[in-house]
Amino acid sequence: MNILDLSSEHPSGSPKDAASFLCDEEPVAIFINGRHISTVLLVPGNPREYVTGYLFTEQYIKTADEIESIRVEKNRASVLTTNIFTSPGPKKTILSGCGGAVSYIDPGKLPVLMGTFSIPASILASSFSHFMANEEKKPGLVVSALYWPSQCLMFRQDIGDDQVTDRMIGAGLIGKIDFSSTYCLCSHTVTSETVRKCLMAGIPVLLTTGHCTRLAAQIGQKNGLCIGIIQDTRLLILSRPERITR
């Protein structure tokens, strides 16, 4: 690996620690009761959490107790469920359009969070400081952390927003965490798919140090999920501001 100085015509040598610029990924094929359902790219280590979260957010299962076993082999995770006829839940998309299909998330088919959970801004400030200072962060990975109320319950990392969200939710399901009184801090762009996963789990507050799509904010407002963007000492609340108190 070489370093090229763009302000010069000559190479500038090699980095002393190339590893600091690289992160790992590996393909994992997921099988349920002998049937292949997906192959995903994950950071190496503990695919059980991701698989549990994925099966839950895709509605193959309703609780972690429906998983009888997960056998992890090289690039493969084989799941046995208590119901051998397990299949995905209702479709999450609506297909429409003239001359072609347009796919989008239908908020009416997603859970609506009716609880009154709220969190003081002062506690969020403390959690945010912990989130930013966490020494476990690895270059190139996105982060998702779950808090209750100022205690960090888990800190997970992966190569993409969908992967890290499912990994965090899976860890919570395995640990039998009640998501309804938790909030999530993440570093990636909040998309409609991130929102869908959090609604499925029942997480009422989702904050990011990154960005948020307009569709994600619209779904959050309609379905009871508070979404916010934290930058420095400022919090921009995009949906359900009543969940953040002074």
Side-chain angles (χ1 to χ4, degrees):
M1 180 182 294
N2 293 329
I3 295 179
L4 179 63
D5 185 349
L6 297 180
S7 64
S8 170
E9 297 181 357
H10 305 289
S12 299
S14 300
K16 294 180 179 179
D17 183 14
S20 64
F21 295 89
L22 302 172
C23 55
D24 295 320
E25 63 177 336
E26 63 182 14
V28 177
I30 302 174
F31 289 77
I32 298 181
N33 300 322
R35 180 165 56 95
H36 176 256
I37 61 167
S38 181
T39 298
V40 295
L41 293 170
L42 304 172
V43 294
N46 200 359
R48 287 180 173 83
E49 291 182 348
Y50 170 81
V51 170
T52 301
Y54 174 82
L55 296 184
F56 176 81
T57 60
E58 295 302 316
Q59 301 180 69
Y60 285 93
I61 60 172
K62 293 182 179 179
T63 70
D65 292 336
E66 293 180 34
I67 297 177
E68 191 170 293
S69 67
I70 301 178
R71 187 175 78 250
V72 177
E73 302 168 293
K74 182 174 176 59
N75 303 121
R76 177 178 175 132
S78 301
V79 183
L80 291 179
T81 63
T82 54
N83 176 10
I84 62 172
F85 301 108
T86 294
S87 61
K91 296 297 183 182
K92 63 188 177 189
T93 56
I94 298 295
L95 300 178
S96 63
C98 180
V102 178
S103 176
Y104 62 93
I105 289 180
D106 178 12
K109 291 189 175 182
L110 296 176
V112 177
L113 306 184
M114 303 298 294
T116 59
F117 175 82
S118 63
I119 189 76
S122 58
I123 291 181
L124 288 181
S126 174
S127 300
F128 177 63
S129 296
H130 171 273
F131 180 81
M132 296 302 293
N134 196 301
E135 296 180 353
E136 295 180 28
K137 288 182 181 178
K138 297 179 181 179
L141 301 182
V142 294
V143 178
S144 209
L146 197 68
Y147 288 83
W148 176 90
S150 57
Q151 174 188 1
C152 182
L153 299 176
M154 66 185 64
F155 188 92
R156 295 295 185 269
Q157 302 175 86
D158 217 302
I159 60 173
D161 51 350
D162 290 347
Q163 292 96 323
V164 77
T165 304
D166 278 334
R167 188 179 287 274
M168 177 195 68
I169 290 173
L173 291 169
I174 293 170
K176 299 189 181 302
I177 290 174
D178 178 6
F179 290 109
S180 65
S181 56
T182 64
Y183 55 99
C184 174
L185 293 181
C186 67
S187 64
H188 56 78
T189 296
V190 172
T191 66
S192 57
E193 184 67 357
T194 312
V195 169
R196 185 188 71 82
K197 292 176 185 294
C198 288
L199 288 172
M200 294 300 302
I203 299 171
V205 177
L206 173 61
L207 305 175
T208 182
T209 59
H211 297 80
C212 178
T213 68
R214 288 184 176 85
L215 179 58
Q218 292 167 4
I219 297 174
Q221 180 63 34
K222 182 178 179 65
N223 291 66
L225 174 64
C226 175
I227 302 173
I229 297 175
I230 300 179
Q231 293 182 340
D232 299 323
T233 59
R234 299 186 303 169
L235 171 61
L236 173 62
I237 304 175
L238 304 174
S239 63
R240 295 290 177 161
E242 66 271 15
R243 293 198 184 276
I244 308 296
T245 61
R246 299 297 297 180

